[in-house]
């Protein structure tokens, strides 16, 4: 698996405080990587390091195979487009003027592709309208347009749907999916809206206290969070014996609890257990969400 970004034992200290504490992660090329963690977990700090806005205290990372200590890391960073914290939009400029300003900042020789970028983000008809008169969703799409100047292969978005209304969230979601699927852009999204993230992410990294707790693919998450029946019995060994004979998939959780991944007759299971000297105590439908999965990993509230 080819990776856009790899970090190894990455640490960032501010005095005695460690914003990142031995963080090791990998972002596969072509992924929409959902970066999940509480407030202060270290998400924005990592993004700032990758973009070259700060330097790590220790550890290292490679971007497109080039180490952060290599002078050629600048070339790798040119393959990145990013929105870090507050989008850098000039409110007294039009969408086109904002993009032209970014072309000049990057030292590009022409405004080639500018109209295509505006069309891609749905702002091609804004004309002379100033950004200060845009809706929050339009401003966010303009920020993404600015990040797309220079044709990046890796797009980093820090809370791209924060504060948006439902329509704005849908527009950003569809844009991200389009950039990933049609333009083959790898995307890193830091977000606290886990339900929305679950609709687009193909890979996840869960961060807590400055280090990665777990990295997992969307298909593995889906498998872990799929619907099942949570069954409580007097003895799960007896239940396992019965379910094996029925060719039913299950997962033993404890001496008395199991998840059963199939529709089945309650009376049939109860009778089979009674015949084997067991007892069905209770059962209920269980459907874990991305949010509950995250909480089970790191615990607590105030997830960002």
């Amino acid at each position: 698996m080819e990776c856009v970004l790899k970090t190894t034992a990455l640490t960032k200290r501010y005095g005695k405080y460690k914003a990142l504490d031995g963080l090791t992660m990998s972002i596969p090329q072509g992924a929409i990587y959902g970066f999940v963690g509480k407030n202060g977990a270290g998400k924005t700090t990592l993004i700032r390091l990758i973009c070259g806005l700060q330097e790590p205290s220790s550890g290292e990372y490679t971007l497109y195979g080039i180490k952060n200590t290599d002078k050629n890391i600048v070339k790798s960073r040119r393959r990145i487009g990013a929105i870090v914290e507050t989008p850098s939009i000039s409110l007294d400029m039009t969408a086109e003027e904002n993009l032209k300003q970014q072309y000049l900042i990057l030292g590009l020789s022409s405004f080639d592709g500018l109209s295509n970028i505006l069309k891609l983000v749905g702002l091609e008809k804004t004309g002379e309208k100033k950004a200060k008169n845009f809706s929050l969703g339009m401003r966010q799409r303009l920020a993404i347009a600015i990040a797309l100047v220079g044709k990046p292969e890796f797009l980093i978005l820090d809370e791209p749907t924060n504060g948006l209304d439902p329509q704005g969230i849908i527009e950003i979601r569809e844009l991200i999916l389009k950039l990933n699927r049609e333009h083959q852009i790898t995307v890193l999204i830091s977000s606290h809206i886990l339900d929305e993230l679950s609709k687009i992410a193909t890979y996840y990294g869960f961060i807590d206290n400055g280090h990665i707790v777990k990295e997992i693919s969307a298909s593995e998450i889906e498998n872990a969070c799929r619907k099942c029946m949570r069954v409580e019995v007097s003895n799960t060994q007896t239940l396992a014996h019965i379910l094996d004979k029925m060719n039913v998939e299950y997962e033993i959780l404890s001496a008395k609890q199991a998840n059963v991944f199939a529709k089945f007759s309650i009376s049939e299971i109860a009778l089979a257990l009674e015949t084997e000297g067991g007892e069905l105590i209770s059962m209920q439908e269980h459907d874990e969400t991305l949010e509950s999965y995250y909480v089970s990993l790191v615990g607590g509230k105030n997830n960002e």
Side-chain angles (χ1 to χ4, degrees), residues 11 24 29-30 64-65 72 82 147 175 184 191 194 208 220 224 245 248 285:
T11 299
T24 298
Q29 187 168 340
Y64 287 100
N72 289 319
L175 176 57
Q184 289 75 52
S191 178
L194 300 189
D208 190 43
E220 289 172 318
K245 288 196 292 186
V248 170
E285 190 172 54

Side-chain angles (χ1 to χ4, degrees), residues 245-263:
K245 288 196 292 186
M246 295 172 64
N247 199 29
V248 170
E249 187 181 353
Y250 62 88
E251 176 189 18
I252 301 298
L253 302 176
S254 67
K256 292 192 174 185
Q257 281 194 328
N259 288 334
V260 182
F261 301 97
K263 290 184 178 180

Side-chain angles (χ1 to χ4, degrees), residues 7-13 22-23 56-61 68-69:
T7 75
T8 305
L10 204 59
T11 299
K12 179 61 179 178
R13 297 183 186 89
L23 183 141
S57 302
S58 62
E60 64 179 27
Y61 64 88
N68 61 293
T69 51

Side-chain angles (χ1 to χ4, degrees), residues 17 65 81 88 127 159 167-168 171 173 177 182 193 203 209 226 243 263 290 297:
Y17 172 68
S88 54
E159 301 287 354
Q167 182 59 36
E171 290 170 353
R173 179 209 310 162
L177 287 171
E182 297 181 19
I193 306 176
Y203 211 84
N209 294 321
R226 62 182 170 156
L243 295 176
K263 290 184 178 180
L290 176 61
L297 278 179

Side-chain angles (χ1 to χ4, degrees), residues 34 36 46 59 62 170 177 193 272:
V36 182
L46 175 73
T62 59
I170 290 169
L177 287 171
I193 306 176

Side-chain angles (χ1 to χ4, degrees), residues 6-134:
K6 284 188 177 183
T7 75
T8 305
L10 204 59
T11 299
K12 179 61 179 178
R13 297 183 186 89
Y14 298 100
K16 294 182 179 179
Y17 172 68
K18 284 185 180 180
L20 295 181
D21 187 9
L23 183 141
T24 298
M25 67 186 291
S26 301
I27 299 181
Q29 187 168 340
I32 297 178
Y33 188 102
F35 198 29
V36 182
K38 300 176 186 177
N39 289 323
K43 301 190 301 297
T44 300
T45 299
L46 175 73
I47 290 171
R48 291 180 68 83
L49 294 186
I50 296 166
C51 294
L53 300 174
Q54 292 180 338
E55 291 295 326
S57 302
S58 62
E60 64 179 27
Y61 64 88
T62 59
L63 192 59
Y64 287 100
I66 298 177
K67 288 186 179 181
N68 61 293
T69 51
D70 191 318
K71 62 181 180 180
N72 289 319
I73 190 66
V74 176
K75 293 181 180 178
S76 286
R77 289 204 185 105
R78 287 176 186 157
R79 300 168 75 173
I80 295 177
I83 301 175
V84 186
E85 298 174 298
T86 306
S88 54
I89 294 172
S90 297
L91 296 178
D92 287 324
M93 290 184 177
T94 66
E96 182 176 326
E97 288 168 344
N98 267 280
L99 260 63
K100 284 182 176 179
Q101 180 174 259
Q102 184 65 9
Y103 271 78
L104 294 173
I105 289 170
L106 295 180
L108 299 175
S109 58
S110 74
F111 298 129
D112 183 47
L114 188 151
S115 59
N116 290 334
I117 295 174
L118 286 175
K119 187 175 181 180
L120 181 60
V121 301
L123 296 176
E124 74 276 18
K125 296 180 181 179
T126 53
E128 296 301 312
K129 188 175 183 178
K130 305 292 186 183
K132 63 184 177 183
N133 298 317
F134 285 7

